Amino acid sequence: MSERRARPAAKNSRRSGWRRALPPAQPPKTPDPASGASEALPTEIPSVVQAVVYQDGVRVSSPAGLAETYRELREQPSGMAWIGLARPTEGELLSLAEEFDLHPLAVEDAMEAHQRPKLERYGDTLFVVLRAARYLDAPEEVEFGELHVFVGPDFVITVRHGAAPDLSAVRHRMEETPELLKLGPEAVLYAILDAVVDGYVPVVTGVQNDIDEIETEVFGGDPAVSRRIYELSREMVEFQRATRPLVGMLHGLMAGFAKYGTDEELQRYLRDVADHVTHTSERVDGFRQALTDILTVNATLVTQQQNAEMRALAEAGFEQNEEIKKISAWAAILFAPTLVGTIYGMNFERMPELGWSFGYPFAIGLMGMVCVSLYVIFKRRGWL
């Protein structure tokens, strides 16, 4: 890919072959004058962030639009164009596809976000999808963006969807090292990969701090920690999807060093990025396993706490039952003499034992005998 191809003067002969594979760009709708609509059309935000043409690692021009970029690149046989776009329109992508002979499948992927990280080679053009990440400290969340990169013999096209690394900083870094930028589009791809991977470092640090805090909250008995563990686990799943494919992508890129004549110094840089990606991927895998273990420990602690609460409730219920037994036993003991006294207090004229001289001592003895009997029975059963 490092060899430059001669740019054709006209590309009409190759347009019809692939353009049928993509839907034509829809022209913007204009209001009907007869309808009387007076609302102005919304101003379209330009999606071309910056377009620059380089010659031997040095910026030679900064075209204002795509058409001017095409013209100036044709005037620089050994030049390189670096075009940055943010959420481009379909028409802009079709224009780029016609000019640089981009594959329709890659263009279709670039039109839509939510692509998995991958590296595809279409002839002498590489199509790379990257998932950038940044850590938001205030809400303690990881925000993901998507970056599509087309790398050809004399051009680099970046298509940004959502949050992405600061490509202006990447461009500035490359322009400060013209000896690296002179190596061509592959050097720009390296710089973009390096920026994406470097962007994972603060995310890893932030997640590590969150996990440390979660461990403290788990053993501190915070009831809201389960939700925090679950939310962070979901973010780690997304983080894995962003980092794990990069390992295979970079190894595939390194496998083609000899075939595509990649510069030896650039090979060293790309190997360094691959090492960092591998380290980050291993850290993310470790985070997910740690969160799984923490969730298990938290569930165990919650179960133990629930068991302790149930045990305390059971003990409280047992003590309450013992008190109820005592109250019931004494109520039964006191009920016996009350019953006897109530019967003999009815004062009917014809009642047995009313005229008996031993009636009163007998009633008192009967009350005492019943109370003592009940006391002995309840005592043996442990109620008293």
Side-chain angles (χ1 to χ4, degrees):
M1 192 177 69
S2 60
E3 295 181 359
R4 303 291 178 85
R5 60 177 171 83
R7 298 187 57 79
K11 301 189 180 74
N12 293 331
S13 60
R14 68 186 183 191
R15 291 180 184 176
S16 60
W18 65 268
R19 189 164 185 177
R20 289 192 299 270
L22 293 173
Q26 298 295 327
K29 296 182 179 180
T30 56
D32 186 3
S35 63
S38 59
E39 295 183 1
L41 289 174
T43 303
E44 184 178 356
I45 300 176
S47 57
V48 180
V49 178
Q50 190 173 21
V52 180
V53 176
Y54 298 94
Q55 180 78 27
D56 294 328
V58 179
R59 181 192 292 226
V60 293
S61 64
S62 300
L66 293 180
E68 187 178 347
T69 303
Y70 304 156
R71 179 180 58 79
E72 295 197 14
L73 186 58
R74 291 191 186 103
E75 295 174 356
Q76 302 287 339
S78 60
M80 178 189 72
W82 184 352
I83 303 172
L85 304 101
R87 297 186 180 90
T89 64
E90 183 178 342
E92 288 170 334
L93 284 177
L94 290 175
S95 173
L96 289 166
E98 289 187 58
E99 176 67 22
F100 296 110
D101 196 19
L102 305 180
H103 196 278
L105 293 178
V107 175
E108 184 179 359
D109 287 343
M111 289 180 181
E112 299 290 338
H114 310 295
Q115 301 291 328
R116 65 176 181 84
K118 61 181 179 179
L119 185 149
E120 301 285 348
R121 185 178 292 275
Y122 299 99
D124 55 2
T125 301
L126 279 176
F127 176 62
V128 182
V129 179
L130 302 172
R131 293 292 303 278
R134 61 176 180 175
Y135 183 78
L136 305 179
D137 189 59
E140 294 183 346
E141 295 177 353
V142 181
E143 184 180 67
F144 296 93
E146 199 165 314
L147 184 65
H148 300 179
V149 185
F150 294 90
V151 182
D154 56 357
F155 66 88
V156 176
I157 302 170
T158 58
V159 180
R160 190 180 65 195
H161 293 278
D166 186 3
L167 294 183
S168 61
V170 176
R171 190 187 297 271
H172 181 68
R173 169 195 170 191
M174 292 297 290
E175 290 178 352
E176 286 186 340
T177 54
E179 65 278 2
L180 181 60
L181 187 56
K182 187 178 180 180
L183 298 178
E186 283 185 323
V188 177
L189 176 60
Y190 149 73
I192 294 173
L193 287 168
D194 188 51
V196 171
V197 175
D198 286 346
Y200 294 152
V201 175
V203 178
V204 170
T205 303
V207 171
Q208 182 64 67
N209 292 335
D210 287 346
I211 292 177
D212 293 341
E213 293 175 1
I214 286 174
E215 289 177 343
T216 303
E217 293 174 0
V218 164
F219 292 101
D222 188 347
V225 70
S226 298
R227 181 181 182 88
R228 188 177 180 187
I229 295 172
Y230 174 73
E231 291 176 349
L232 192 57
S233 298
R234 289 182 59 186
E235 291 179 352
M236 287 305 96
V237 171
E238 289 295 320
F239 205 5
Q240 271 188 326
R241 292 173 180 172
T243 57
R244 184 175 290 178
L246 276 179
V247 178
M249 289 167 55
L250 284 166
H251 281 88
L253 194 62
M254 291 188 295
F257 283 166
K259 180 178 179 181
Y260 296 99
T262 304
D263 183 83
E264 292 184 3
E265 187 66 18
L266 190 56
Q267 292 182 26
R268 298 188 185 98
Y269 287 136
L270 288 170
R271 289 193 187 98
D272 181 67
V273 174
D275 291 340
H276 291 169
V277 168
T278 302
H279 176 70
T280 301
S281 180
E282 291 173 352
R283 290 289 301 277
V284 175
D285 292 343
F287 288 158
R288 189 176 181 187
Q289 183 60 45
L291 287 170
T292 302
D293 296 340
I294 291 173
L295 190 61
T296 303
V297 171
N298 182 64
T300 303
L301 293 176
V302 170
T303 302
Q304 290 178 351
Q305 184 179 2
Q306 291 175 345
N307 291 339
E309 292 175 354
M310 293 296 294
R311 189 181 304 109
L313 289 174
E315 292 176 355
F318 178 76
E319 293 177 359
Q320 187 177 14
N321 290 337
E322 293 298 317
E323 296 297 327
I324 292 175
K325 287 180 181 180
K326 291 179 181 180
I327 294 173
S328 301
W330 285 113
I333 292 173
L334 295 176
F335 175 74
T338 302
L339 178 63
V340 175
T342 302
I343 293 174
Y344 281 94
M346 290 188 292
N347 297 324
F348 289 110
E349 291 181 0
R350 296 180 181 181
M351 284 185 65
E353 300 145 359
L354 286 179
W356 186 29
S357 59
F358 296 102
Y360 177 73
F362 174 76
I364 296 297
L366 180 62
M367 293 178 188
M369 183 181 65
V370 172
C371 290
V372 171
S373 299
L374 290 175
Y375 179 83
V376 172
I377 292 173
F378 290 139
K379 191 70 174 178
R380 287 182 178 178
R381 292 189 176 184
W383 286 31
L384 293 173

